Amino acid sequence: MAEFRSCLRYLLYKIVLILVLTNIRCSCKEQKYAAKLELDNLARYHNYTELTQLLNLYEISYPSIAQLKTAGKSVQERELWYMKITSNVTETTPGKPMFKYVANMHGNEAVGREMLVLLIDYLLRNYESDQRIKDLVDYTDIYIMPSMNPDGFEVSIEGNSNKPPGRNNANDVDLNRDFPDQFDKKKYTSLQSMLVDRQPETQNMMEWILSNHFVLSANLHGGSVVASYPYDDRFDRMDAASPAPDQNLFVYLAHLYSNEHKTMHLGKHCLDEESGFKDGITNGAQWYDVPGGMQDFNYLHSNCFEITLELSCLKRPPHEQLNTEWENNREALLAYIEQVHIGITGFVTDAKTSEPISAAQINVDGISHTVASDSYGAFWRLLLNGTYTVTVSHASYQPVTKRDIHVWSGFPATMVDFQLLRDIDKTTPVAVSSAPTTMTPGSGAEIR
């Protein structure tokens, strides 16, 4: 027995020693990567190779909250990299809202590309030390794509000119005119029919958008300083206002970014513009008609609400200006992500089995725009503060209407769940006067 105890103690000692040494190695490895990141001057333009190396380094340095993936490839076989940033990044947490930033759709509009690199760095570095950043990452699935047009960026020119090299993709197609348009005469019956004759980057983005339940998004451009909101075009192709059903919400989102930006809200115009934009915002079509834009595609074909952010008068200004651009945009970028938590959220389930119901339609009285539940039955519907009546329906179930749903400003969203009866269980339509709960950080429902 004594020999057995002695062997057991020795074995435990070896295990502890191995764990300690492993931890030391990991700690040294993390310090080494962190040192490499410290040495990299981020306020500069990164070509495709440098960007790829940097993003890989972030994933290695912050494996618990950063995961690098690709949405597909460009014409010239460059990856459309995106970084997913969230707690427990390799797992799926039902009910956690999905947010995305996409930049560099026009390859020569490069400020947004570098702002998103700096944003990735800021979120990862400050996760442990800044409670605001920790809450943002813990309660949100954040997706950041620095470059949607890496081919175009490679041929763009840095300097005080807005000349076009690099605007289009390698096939010389403007990607922000390449998405299905709501006023097309074509009738689309499926995703595959929408993908026909599109550019590789457009196809990849469409599939990425439609295969995920993004809630809120912004598309970063350059050449002006303004927050532009849907719709981007009109039936008559005139340069005149084209409001979406969620006009008030979009105006709020545009105002929020503009007001948090250090100069955008001033509405000053760039040198090549006749006038500025009041409060730094505009309806897209009122500015000028953009058929086939990605902003409208998000809103019309997915759950995602997207606005377009024009960040600088110069599309690829001298790199010395990037620090100033970061200071101008940092707070606005963070505050905009936080808006993914406004409105209502909950789960749609079978009233008898409690199984989740996917593809249930969520409709708000007075707003003719539908969002759908995901495979977990979870839904998010962005709304401003107010009182709403919401109906949830599904082809196989009896619809349920809940009234007097109160939405307050900001985080947390109002929680309201829906239980639906199958058709065979139908008796009379169900209407419920709702008194929903709200989500608070640290409660048992913080990620629902």
Side-chain angles (χ1 to χ4, degrees):
M1 180 63 71
E3 290 181 4
F4 173 76
R5 289 175 179 169
S6 177
C7 290
L8 182 60
R9 281 197 298 271
Y10 178 74
L11 181 61
L12 290 173
Y13 167 77
K14 294 288 286 184
I15 292 172
V16 170
L17 182 61
I18 290 170
L19 290 174
V20 169
L21 290 174
T22 301
N23 186 58
I24 291 173
R25 290 192 198 100
C26 290
S27 177
C28 292
K29 189 176 182 181
E30 289 172 359
Q31 289 175 11
K32 179 180 71 174
Y33 286 128
K36 284 185 178 180
L37 290 173
E38 290 290 350
L39 290 172
D40 186 21
N41 176 17
L42 295 179
R44 63 181 180 85
Y45 294 108
H46 298 80
N47 63 31
Y48 176 74
T49 299
E50 293 170 332
L51 178 64
T52 299
Q53 292 171 346
L54 184 59
L55 294 178
N56 274 286
L57 194 55
Y58 281 126
E59 182 185 42
I60 294 169
S61 302
Y62 301 92
S64 64
I65 58 172
Q67 187 177 49
L68 182 61
K69 293 188 174 183
T70 177
K73 293 188 176 184
S74 67
V75 172
Q76 295 178 343
E77 296 292 304
R78 293 184 175 94
E79 302 288 353
L80 306 185
W81 295 120
Y82 67 87
M83 187 72 78
K84 178 183 177 183
I85 300 176
T86 192
S87 57
N88 303 314
V89 71
T90 59
E91 302 174 7
T92 298
T93 304
K96 189 186 285 191
M98 299 174 68
F99 175 94
K100 65 179 167 71
Y101 274 131
V102 176
N104 206 208
M105 183 181 202
H106 292 141
N108 64 331
E109 297 173 14
V111 170
R113 174 187 175 108
E114 300 308 324
M115 293 305 99
L116 293 191
V117 171
L118 288 164
L119 179 62
I120 290 170
D121 181 83
Y122 191 84
L123 292 173
L124 297 178
R125 286 186 191 276
N126 291 283
Y127 176 71
E128 296 291 350
S129 59
D130 187 321
Q131 190 60 48
R132 180 193 186 189
I133 301 303
K134 183 169 174 40
D135 287 344
L136 202 57
V137 172
D138 283 347
Y139 299 119
T140 318
D141 282 343
I142 303 169
Y143 296 76
I144 300 177
M145 179 182 287
S147 183
M148 181 184 156
N149 184 3
D151 299 348
F153 175 82
E154 293 299 303
V155 298
S156 65
I157 300 171
E158 177 181 344
N160 295 310
S161 172
N162 279 345
K163 291 183 179 180
R167 174 183 174 87
N168 295 345
N169 75 345
N171 288 334
D172 199 26
V173 173
D174 186 332
L175 297 177
N176 207 31
R177 306 294 188 277
D178 193 43
F179 285 79
D181 184 75
Q182 62 177 318
F183 302 114
D184 277 348
K185 293 181 179 179
K186 297 178 183 177
K187 299 298 181 183
Y188 302 109
T189 57
S190 65
L191 171 59
Q192 291 306 313
S193 66
M194 286 195 290
L195 294 175
V196 174
D197 295 329
R198 309 282 173 197
Q199 293 300 299
E201 296 90 345
T202 311
Q203 292 177 342
N204 290 327
M205 291 302 293
M206 288 171 62
E207 291 179 324
W208 188 49
I209 291 165
L210 297 179
S211 62
N212 291 283
H213 282 258
F214 293 112
V215 178
L216 180 62
S217 174
N219 182 13
L220 280 55
H221 286 249
S224 188
V225 183
V226 64
S228 174
Y229 56 87
Y231 287 127
D232 255 343
D233 69 343
R234 288 169 51 94
F235 68 94
D236 56 7
R237 302 304 184 198
M238 297 288 289
D239 295 343
S242 181
D246 282 280
Q247 164 83 355
N248 291 339
L249 176 63
F250 280 123
V251 169
Y252 162 80
L253 291 170
H255 267 302
L256 179 126
Y257 196 93
S258 179
N259 290 339
E260 296 295 341
H261 189 282
K262 288 193 174 180
T263 65
M264 188 179 289
H265 63 279
L266 301 175
K268 294 182 178 180
H269 64 88
C270 298
L271 293 178
D272 57 348
E273 295 173 334
E274 293 182 2
S275 62
F277 300 93
K278 185 177 184 302
D279 299 324
I281 72 168
T282 185
N283 173 262
Q286 188 163 13
W287 185 10
Y288 60 90
D289 188 71
V290 179
M294 185 167 70
Q295 171 181 266
D296 289 0
F297 176 82
N298 272 272
Y299 183 64
L300 292 166
H301 295 279
S302 78
N303 283 351
C304 192
F305 291 66
E306 179 169 289
I307 67 172
T308 298
L309 302 171
E310 303 277 350
L311 300 185
S312 59
C313 290
L314 292 175
K315 295 185 176 183
R316 187 175 171 175
H319 64 274
E320 291 86 358
Q321 189 175 323
L322 292 175
N323 272 323
T324 300
E325 294 298 342
W326 173 239
E327 291 304 315
N328 287 342
N329 284 280
R330 182 179 60 206
E331 178 56 33
L333 289 166
L334 295 173
Y336 188 77
I337 298 174
E338 290 171 333
Q339 304 315 300
V340 77
H341 293 280
I342 66 173
I344 62 173
T345 182
F347 288 83
V348 183
T349 56
D350 187 294
K352 288 195 171 182
T353 68
S354 297
E355 290 295 312
I357 301 174
S358 63
Q361 296 190 329
I362 292 84
N363 288 285
V364 179
D365 276 15
I367 306 175
S368 57
H369 181 74
T370 301
V371 298
S373 59
D374 65 16
S375 59
Y376 299 97
F379 72 91
W380 282 86
R381 204 330 174 164
L382 300 182
L383 292 167
L384 298 177
N385 60 308
T387 302
Y388 297 91
T389 296
V390 179
T391 298
V392 174
S393 59
H394 188 281
S396 301
Y397 289 84
Q398 178 181 355
V400 172
T401 297
K402 292 193 176 186
R403 300 183 174 89
D404 301 320
I405 297 176
H406 302 291
V407 174
W408 313 106
S409 297
F411 182 83
T414 298
M415 290 247 353
V416 52
D417 295 330
F418 289 81
Q419 293 79 37
L420 274 56
L421 291 168
R422 281 196 171 274
D423 276 346
I424 57 173
D425 301 318
K426 277 186 182 179
T427 51
T428 57
V430 177
V432 181
S433 180
S434 175
T437 58
T438 57
M439 178 177 67
T440 56
S443 72
E446 72 268 20
I447 53 176
R448 290 186 54 189

